[in-house]
Amino acid sequence: MSKVVIVTFCLFLMVKLCCLVCLHDSAQRDTHVVSPPAVIPHTTKIFRRSTTWAPQLPLRVTPWYLPGQSALLTLSQNTQLQSAMREVTKTISDMLSVQRSEGPLLLNRDMSKYCRSIWGDPSLLNYKRCGSRDLSYHGERCLDVVIPDSHLHGYEVWPMNGTEPDHVTPNGTGVPDTDFLLYVRVAQTEKCALQPSVIAYASYCQLDHSGRPIAGVIVFCPKRLRDGVYQHQHIVQVCLHEILHALGFSSSLFERWIDCSFPGQCSSRSRVTNTDERGQLRIYTPNVMQRMGEHLGAGNVGAPLEDQESPTSSHWESRMMQGSILTASLSPPHLTYLDSITLAAFQDMGWYGVNTSMSSHLVWGKGAGVSFGLPSTCQEKLADFFCKDQGEIGCHHLHLNKGNCSTDAFLDGCRIYKPLLQGGECWLKQENYGADEIYHSQSRCFFSNLTKETKHEKVKGRCYLHRCIAPNTFQIKVQGSEWTDCPAGEWIEVKGFEGVLLCPDGRLCSGFDRPPAPTSVSPTSPFYGTFPQIGPGIRVQLTIVQNLEWNPAKKKLLTEEVLGVVAHHAGVQRCFLHASTQLDTDLSFVLVIGESSNCRPHPTGSWPHSSIMNLTDYFITYESPQFSTITIRFQSHGSQNSIVSQAGLVGTCVGVILFCAMLILTICWCKYRARSLQVRDVYHAQL
Ligand SMILES: *[C@@H]1O[C@H](CO)[C@@H](O)[C@H](O)[C@H]1NC(C)=O
Ligand SMILES: *[C@@H]1O[C@H](CO)[C@@H](O)[C@H](O)[C@H]1NC(C)=O
Ligand SMILES: *[C@@H]1O[C@H](CO)[C@@H](O)[C@H](O)[C@H]1NC(C)=O
Ligand SMILES: *[C@@H]1O[C@H](CO)[C@@H](O)[C@H](O)[C@H]1NC(C)=O
Ligand SMILES: *[C@@H]1O[C@H](CO)[C@@H](O)[C@H](O)[C@H]1NC(C)=O
């Protein structure tokens, strides 16, 4: 009895501590998803693609940083976060393409929220239109993020029979150059607090008429961004994993994947997932089945979903897909790949063109047949890839690291060589731990008991040099030995040593065993650098109601914040805007526009000076009276005339007034700010 309790408790601890790294499914359950009004979910069977042929162009994911939250992180943490996001959006746009819709992206409003009643009599002029407004409607959210009105379609409320609407909320200006809008929030949410190991989670909140996600949110847990050494590749990996969920690899979207294999039209897929004869849930779509079959060497096979997450997981089964970016428990970044089966799933969603040259083939389970990785076969004596004895030191299957034979909550009792970190990286030059071992970028892990002494040695994972001659053909070198041929799959002896060494088959010299590049975090600093500047600088004058004490860090933070706000409202990519001077004592700085290597090319070639200069006064307002109000004004650099006046236009028509009214935006620095001490303190306290 007590044994059962202890085992249960340990399992619980394991789940708690090591593996529940991805909160996508739980975040998605909490996210209200809005579709365009015409689509009634699950009833539209066939829809046409655009009648004119449109090319598929790279998917543009636009991160939208909520103003104000940079206060939760230091400047360098912010820069690192943004640099990670840029890396991920670049990967996504290399990987996926879509038929772009015209104009800026506008998100939909949920009619069932803003509208209390709809005219239901077909004889009425305004049949099916909204008849009365829900006065408690306060706009749309994406999980916890309030979507700005400028990102949303407008709506109208109609009288029973009239031709003029009773109420009009105009369309927003939308977000230019965007196919997927990603709200980026940094907040210590309840989910972060409950799962301290979580770095980030994401969900989608808007779909287009074909069911493709067009907007979502990614939440970063600030504690993990602050912890110790900043692990850039780790953040990039988690971020990519989460965004892949939000773009379509989500159990809540499986049944909405479409089949666009016939030219000109798409139809619903009848069934994406199904349970096989052993009770394993799998994805059965054409490309996925083909890739999975090729991988296992076994005809067409569905690709298995994680059975430890119910009812339907948004992850691949850990036992069978180790090393994929979409398993529930991720290996370190250098042992994780964007694999071909994941890419096949994106092909089968129907919404995307996929650049298959991005993919790596999984090494785990390659050629191992249909019964590979079953809980019943993984324990067999000769089961390739798996191991028997808990705690035994062998080699991780990619042979870059030594491995520790162990299990976790997703492995259903199977044991694998988990990569041994801190000392187990053969590819990392370090103090040699075992005699005769060599740690070097060209070293790999080999099972061996080579020794110069005569005493008996147990076979275990050791690090020796290797060099590639051809695919799967290589030589090895032990400390003090000559280069020795190492025929894949055979045990060899090495001159001058007792014992043997196993040459792995199909794991080395095939392009998948690159050691990670030396960790280079080189986020381009947006500050005070020289840039290929385009056009004149613009002096930005800030006015703050309260008297605050300033230090350089606070000034940088504020400058960063202001650039974010300006970029957003001028519809420019943030990375084009730079501060060429520090914030003066009179709180002004010079903003310059210039290209940056991390930016997508500016679309039209017309540079946004005028759209910036045309912005009237801007406010950053804090919600509570204790918070400061900051006004942003623009002047041509060198000129003393503040260019804030749009007065000539105001009054010419209602539309313009509305437009200007929208321009005078109150930016929620937001509810979270008001609630969070860190935020309120940021400009008041010493940083
Ligand atoms: C496809 O991916 C490769 C990198 O693997 C990249 O160099 C290339 O530009 C991508 N092609 C497209 C059309 O995005
Ligand atoms: C609506 O207007 C039409 C004429 O435009 C009229 O025939 C009809 O009676 C009106 N319906 C109601 C319910 O007022
Ligand atoms: C908003 O834009 C849509 C097209 O995207 C248009 O059909 C609609 O009439 C516009 N609504 C308003 C209130 O301008
Ligand atoms: C291997 O993993 C076990 C737990 O599964 C742990 O107790 C042991 O210390 C690990 N060994 C090494 C060398 O890290
Ligand atoms: C090395 O391992 C092999 C196979 O287990 C064994 O036959 C041999 O005696 C071992 N040699 C030494 C020197 O330990």
Side-chain angles (χ1 to χ4, degrees):
M1 177 64 199
S2 70
K3 232 182 185 167
V4 173
V5 172
I6 290 169
V7 167
T8 317
F9 180 70
C10 287
L11 273 177
F12 171 77
L13 260 191
M14 258 154 43
V15 170
K16 267 294 235 218
L17 294 181
C18 83
C19 300
L20 270 187
V21 286
C22 180
L23 296 180
H24 165 72
D25 282 325
S26 119
Q28 194 61 59
R29 275 193 292 277
D30 295 345
T31 308
H32 177 71
V33 178
V34 179
S35 293
V39 178
I40 304 154
H42 303 301
T43 55
T44 323
K45 272 272 182 257
I46 295 195
F47 28 94
R48 295 199 171 281
R49 288 189 136 177
S50 55
T51 43
T52 52
W53 181 83
Q56 294 217 317
L57 296 170
L59 183 78
R60 299 161 301 178
V61 175
T62 302
W64 197 85
Y65 299 93
L66 294 171
Q69 65 185 3
S70 55
L72 282 173
L73 302 170
T74 66
L75 178 76
S76 73
Q77 284 160 347
N78 251 304
T79 321
Q80 283 161 339
L81 175 64
Q82 296 191 6
S83 140
M85 286 297 304
R86 274 194 296 272
E87 209 169 311
V88 172
T89 53
K90 169 80 168 63
T91 304
I92 300 277
S93 71
D94 282 347
M95 170 185 160
L96 301 177
S97 54
V98 283
Q99 290 187 358
R100 293 180 180 169
S101 20
E102 271 177 39
L105 179 69
L106 270 177
L107 304 181
N108 294 297
R109 292 181 189 264
D110 184 353
M111 196 175 193
S112 70
K113 286 207 168 148
Y114 69 75
C115 192
R116 256 190 313 144
S117 61
I118 295 169
W119 297 118
D121 177 351
S123 72
L124 290 175
L125 191 59
N126 292 322
Y127 173 53
K128 282 197 172 166
R129 284 176 160 168
C130 179
S132 66
R133 191 148 68 108
D134 186 337
L135 294 176
S136 67
Y137 175 68
H138 288 301
E140 300 293 330
R141 290 173 162 268
C142 193
L143 195 56
D144 301 327
V145 172
V146 178
I147 300 181
D149 278 345
S150 63
H151 294 181
L152 289 166
H153 272 116
Y155 65 97
E156 289 159 352
V157 179
W158 296 82
M160 185 164 59
N161 232 358
T163 53
E164 289 294 318
D166 287 341
H167 168 88
V168 177
T169 294
N171 282 337
T173 46
V175 186
D177 307 325
T178 301
D179 304 305
F180 183 88
L181 179 58
L182 183 66
Y183 294 101
V184 182
R185 183 178 175 209
V186 179
Q188 180 63 13
T189 60
E190 201 177 321
K191 284 189 168 53
C192 297
L194 286 174
Q195 294 287 343
S197 68
V198 165
I199 293 177
Y201 55 90
S203 64
Y204 61 88
C205 58
Q206 294 250 336
L207 304 177
D208 74 1
H209 67 279
S210 69
R212 175 174 76 80
I214 52 171
V217 58
I218 185 163
V219 179
F220 286 94
C221 302
K223 283 227 164 85
R224 284 304 304 269
L225 297 179
R226 283 194 221 115
D227 270 357
V229 196
Y230 175 81
Q231 293 174 301
H232 182 71
Q233 286 312 324
H234 200 100
I235 307 261
V236 168
Q237 164 178 283
V238 169
C239 198
L240 179 61
H241 174 107
E242 291 300 322
I243 292 176
L244 292 179
H245 285 313
L247 288 174
F249 201 92
S250 174
S251 56
S252 55
L253 279 174
F254 289 159
E255 300 309 323
R256 304 191 71 148
W257 292 7
I258 52 178
D259 180 357
C260 297
S261 49
F262 297 101
Q265 72 177 36
C266 301
S267 55
S268 309
R269 291 192 179 278
S270 49
R271 194 77 206 256
V272 168
T273 56
N274 213 337
T275 313
D276 70 11
E277 63 277 12
R278 294 189 186 85
Q280 176 91 42
L281 196 66
R282 291 176 185 262
I283 289 185
Y284 292 95
T285 52
N287 285 296
V288 167
M289 288 169 71
Q290 192 187 343
R291 289 288 159 288
M292 190 72 197
E294 284 167 10
H295 169 63
L296 294 175
N300 278 0
V301 193
L305 292 171
E306 182 53 63
D307 59 3
Q308 293 297 318
E309 296 178 311
S310 61
T312 304
S313 168
S314 302
H315 294 118
W316 296 124
E317 170 59 57
S318 246
R319 282 179 278 112
M320 307 184 188
M321 305 274 280
Q322 282 292 312
S324 164
I325 181 80
L326 280 178
T327 52
S329 156
L330 287 175
S331 299
H334 68 285
L335 304 174
T336 304
Y337 294 90
L338 198 50
D339 59 287
S340 56
I341 298 161
T342 298
L343 261 71
F346 276 85
Q347 286 178 303
D348 288 338
M349 289 172 197
W351 307 308
Y352 302 110
V354 176
N355 179 357
T356 45
S357 73
M358 298 282 294
S359 74
S360 299
H361 292 285
L362 278 187
V363 172
W364 184 259
K366 189 162 180 50
V370 272
S371 56
F372 173 72
L374 300 175
S376 55
T377 60
C378 73
Q379 315 261 10
E380 283 169 9
K381 194 151 176 41
L382 288 173
D384 205 3
F385 294 96
F386 293 94
C387 57
K388 297 269 106 38
D389 300 321
Q390 177 87 21
E392 178 199 330
I393 301 300
C395 296
H396 177 264
H397 72 279
L398 294 176
H399 293 263
L400 280 159
N401 288 45
K402 292 183 184 177
N404 182 0
C405 186
S406 46
T407 188
D408 67 40
F410 295 114
L411 289 172
D412 307 85
C414 294
R415 294 203 178 95
I416 64 174
Y417 290 111
K418 296 218 158 190
L420 203 61
L421 305 172
Q422 285 159 2
E425 300 96 339
C426 291
W427 49 274
L428 194 62
K429 209 170 165 60
Q430 56 195 305
E431 286 301 306
N432 288 359
Y433 285 85
D436 315 328
E437 285 188 295
I438 302 173
Y439 289 80
H440 182 275
S441 67
Q442 290 307 310
S443 284
R444 296 295 180 267
C445 181
F446 297 89
F447 286 92
S448 117
N449 62 355
L450 292 179
T451 174
K452 279 209 161 126
E453 335 216 319
T454 43
K455 74 173 169 38
H456 189 82
E457 287 264 347
K458 240 187 102 184
V459 172
K460 58 179 187 181
R462 293 146 180 249
C463 303
Y464 301 119
L465 270 180
H466 90 308
R467 68 180 180 197
C468 295
I469 310 289
N472 208 24
T473 310
F474 47 92
Q475 294 179 320
I476 60 115
K477 187 179 165 83
V478 182
Q479 192 74 270
S481 86
E482 298 295 306
W483 283 106
T484 307
D485 283 336
C486 199
E490 293 180 21
W491 289 92
I492 60 163
E493 292 179 348
V494 177
K495 213 167 134 200
F497 291 83
E498 297 291 316
V500 288
L501 176 146
L502 176 63
C503 305
D505 189 8
R507 318 270 179 101
L508 292 182
C509 304
S510 43
F512 304 113
D513 48 350
R514 301 175 298 265
T519 40
S520 61
V521 185
S522 55
T524 51
S525 163
F527 287 98
Y528 324 134
T530 48
F531 308 95
Q533 184 178 338
I534 295 159
I538 299 173
R539 181 159 285 277
V540 180
Q541 175 69 59
L542 308 179
T543 319
I544 297 192
V545 178
Q546 271 136 301
N547 270 334
L548 301 176
E549 286 197 1
W550 293 97
N551 66 20
K554 281 186 199 172
K555 286 182 176 177
K556 278 188 177 183
L557 202 56
L558 182 65
T559 311
E560 174 84 338
E561 202 81 76
V562 166
L563 290 178
V565 171
V566 172
H568 173 61
H569 293 288
V572 198
Q573 291 174 64
R574 165 68 185 82
C575 46
F576 283 127
L577 303 187
H578 315 279
S580 73
T581 60
Q582 295 201 29
L583 201 59
D584 291 343
T585 40
D586 72 340
L587 297 185
S588 72
F589 67 92
V590 176
L591 179 160
V592 297
I593 298 171
E595 289 187 78
S596 151
S597 53
N598 291 306
C599 263
R600 290 191 303 268
H602 193 63
T604 56
S606 79
W607 286 88
H609 293 88
S610 55
S611 43
I612 291 178
M613 298 301 283
N614 284 341
L615 301 174
T616 47
D617 283 10
Y618 263 75
F619 298 101
I620 303 178
T621 316
Y622 303 93
E623 226 177 40
S624 123
Q626 290 121 298
F627 295 135
S628 317
T629 303
I630 298 170
T631 316
I632 309 171
R633 281 163 207 259
F634 306 96
Q635 303 167 332
S636 287
H637 188 32
S639 130
Q640 290 307 308
N641 300 325
S642 168
I643 305 189
V644 290
S645 168
Q646 289 269 319
L649 278 176
V650 176
T652 52
C653 80
V654 175
V656 173
I657 294 177
L658 279 174
F659 180 70
C660 293
M662 276 164 48
L663 275 181
I664 301 171
L665 274 171
T666 307
I667 296 156
C668 312
W669 276 103
C670 245
K671 298 239 165 76
Y672 349 109
R673 285 209 144 235
R675 277 194 233 117
S676 160
L677 270 180
Q678 282 140 312
V679 178
R680 179 167 31 150
D681 288 347
V682 77
Y683 292 114
H684 292 275
Q686 291 295 323
L687 281 173

